[in-house]
Amino acid sequence: MTSRASRLIALFGLCSSAFLYACSQGDSAPVADINEGATITGLISVAPEVQAKIQPTDVLFVIARKDVGPPLAVKKIASPAFPVAYALTASDVMFPGTPFQGEVRVLARIDKDGGAGPAQPGDLEGTAVKVPARVGDRDVDVIINREVK
């Protein structure tokens, strides 16, 4: 048996034990949702120098990223009217079950083709001034001020 297979079996056993323990607690031990109330809020605006490049068919993505890996959370807003108030919550996480917590970078992208994925030439972006932001922070404002080349 490979060491990877051994690690996976051990991890499965640990997860199974944790699940069985949680189930055995019944209604007498409520389980707190670590994401409960976890929100990042702010306002997204557009700098005057890129305002004329916005079209009614554009899509706004608000993205929270950790230092590495895929985005932690993403909110998609069709046909945004700026300024846009936003709230990222645990319901916006990319992978269900991922804790919505910790430090993140918040950015906003006006996407020209409306598709998720990396920024493409012509998209417009901005990053929150507050870096890093923490899940739970308010007033994490973003100004969209640059065009992706």
Side-chain angles (χ1 to χ4, degrees):
M1 181 179 304
T2 67
S3 64
R4 180 176 180 191
S6 297
R7 287 191 306 249
L8 288 173
I9 290 170
L11 180 61
F12 178 77
L14 180 63
C15 291
S16 297
S17 297
F19 177 76
L20 290 174
Y21 174 78
C23 290
S24 71
Q25 297 305 301
D27 292 336
S28 63
V31 177
D33 180 358
I34 62 173
N35 291 320
E36 188 175 322
T39 303
I40 299 173
T41 63
L43 189 67
I44 299 170
S45 56
V46 177
E49 61 268 18
V50 297
Q51 181 73 45
K53 297 179 181 195
I54 297 175
Q55 302 298 315
T57 56
D58 292 344
V59 174
L60 173 65
F61 287 96
V62 184
I63 304 161
R65 289 186 163 280
K66 295 278 189 175
D67 286 336
V68 295
L72 174 63
V74 176
K75 182 174 289 289
K76 181 178 180 179
I77 302 168
S79 303
F82 293 96
V84 173
Y86 76 92
L88 287 171
T89 68
S91 65
D92 298 310
V93 296
M94 293 291 295
F95 301 101
T98 302
F100 188 55
Q101 61 189 18
E103 293 183 343
V104 295
R105 287 180 300 117
V106 177
L107 64 99
R109 175 181 311 131
I110 297 174
D111 196 277
K112 295 300 185 177
D113 67 10
Q120 301 296 315
D123 291 346
L124 307 171
E125 289 187 320
T127 304
V129 174
K130 184 174 187 169
V131 176
R134 291 193 59 79
V135 174
D137 284 352
R138 307 275 185 260
D139 301 321
V140 181
D141 298 340
V142 179
I143 298 173
I144 296 173
N145 58 1
R146 66 184 176 276
E147 182 175 355
V148 176
K149 301 292 180 184

